Amino acid sequence: MVKKVLKSIKRDGVIATSKKVLRFVKYKILIKQKKNIINDYVDVKKYSTVIIFENNFGWNKIMKQRPQQIAEALPEDTVIFYHSHEDCDYNEKVRINKLKENLILIDLGYFRDNLLEALSEHANKYLMLYSTDYIPYERVELYKEYGYEIVYEYVDDINED
């Protein structure tokens, strides 16, 4: 680490390197805080299976669609992290809500890295891809690196030119 800092000072100067170091320290502190927030919402060790729903459907829409219905119908020994980026889905600015004991609504854009780290030791984990929008392949690969089995449902016939 010291070698990297010294190289950065030589290359970018003291001020730029100091800013980088501060960002790094701040990031490490935020990761720990976010990980603790996840643990505050659910004790993942109690569940035999973890499923992350990576999708583009919010939770509190006009009607429930298939991803919400599937998430609600999964067994009680499964903990579900359901992605929503909709502001109306959260009671606070924390961007995470506990809907049921085993159903957590979460903004993966904000918490993805922390959630993956918090669940890294869990053995039985799945990623449910249920989206009509493009999900980058690199993101799917990230889940594979953390040991997730990928479940994908082809929702709509997307016309591509």
Side-chain angles (χ1 to χ4, degrees):
M1 179 73 171
V2 174
K3 286 182 182 180
K4 284 184 179 182
V5 171
L6 292 174
K7 268 186 171 178
S8 179
I9 290 172
K10 186 176 180 181
R11 183 182 62 241
D12 303 324
V14 174
I15 294 173
T17 301
S18 299
K19 288 179 181 179
K20 287 180 187 177
V21 169
L22 287 173
R23 273 195 310 266
F24 177 78
V25 170
K26 183 178 176 184
Y27 177 74
K28 287 295 185 182
I29 291 169
L30 286 174
I31 283 178
K32 188 173 184 176
Q33 289 173 344
K34 288 179 188 178
K35 188 174 180 180
N36 289 340
I37 288 172
I38 292 167
N39 293 334
D40 290 345
Y41 278 85
V42 64
D43 180 9
V44 179
K45 296 175 196 136
K46 292 183 357 183
Y47 299 96
S48 64
T49 304
V50 171
I51 299 176
I52 297 176
F53 278 75
E54 174 89 43
N55 57 64
N56 64 334
F57 301 107
W59 188 267
N60 293 317
K61 296 291 185 181
I62 295 170
M63 65 179 168
K64 288 190 178 174
Q65 296 188 29
R66 196 152 69 207
Q68 292 100 325
Q69 293 166 353
I70 291 170
E72 286 184 322
L74 287 166
E76 289 182 11
D77 69 339
T78 301
V79 64
I80 300 106
F81 291 93
Y82 188 95
H83 169 60
S84 178
H85 61 280
E86 303 292 328
D87 288 334
C88 62
D89 289 342
Y90 302 103
N91 297 330
E92 308 168 14
K93 293 186 179 192
V94 177
R95 308 200 61 73
I96 184 169
N97 268 352
K98 188 174 196 174
L99 300 178
K100 290 183 358 183
E101 193 61 34
N102 68 332
L103 179 56
I104 311 299
L105 190 67
I106 189 166
D107 184 346
L108 290 175
Y110 187 69
F111 282 110
R112 183 178 293 108
D113 292 341
N114 307 97
L115 183 63
L116 290 174
E117 191 62 38
L119 301 174
S120 63
E121 300 299 317
H122 205 283
N124 195 19
K125 32 188 192 198
Y126 297 88
L127 170 67
M128 177 69 180
L129 291 173
Y130 198 103
S131 182
T132 56
D133 285 346
Y134 169 74
I135 295 177
Y137 182 73
E138 295 80 20
R139 188 178 311 156
V140 176
E141 283 296 310
L142 177 65
Y143 285 100
K144 284 183 178 180
E145 288 173 19
Y146 276 90
Y148 285 78
E149 295 291 326
I150 310 299
V151 179
Y152 177 79
E153 182 171 1
Y154 186 71
V155 181
D156 293 320
D157 185 14
I158 301 173
N159 295 324
E160 295 183 24
D161 295 324

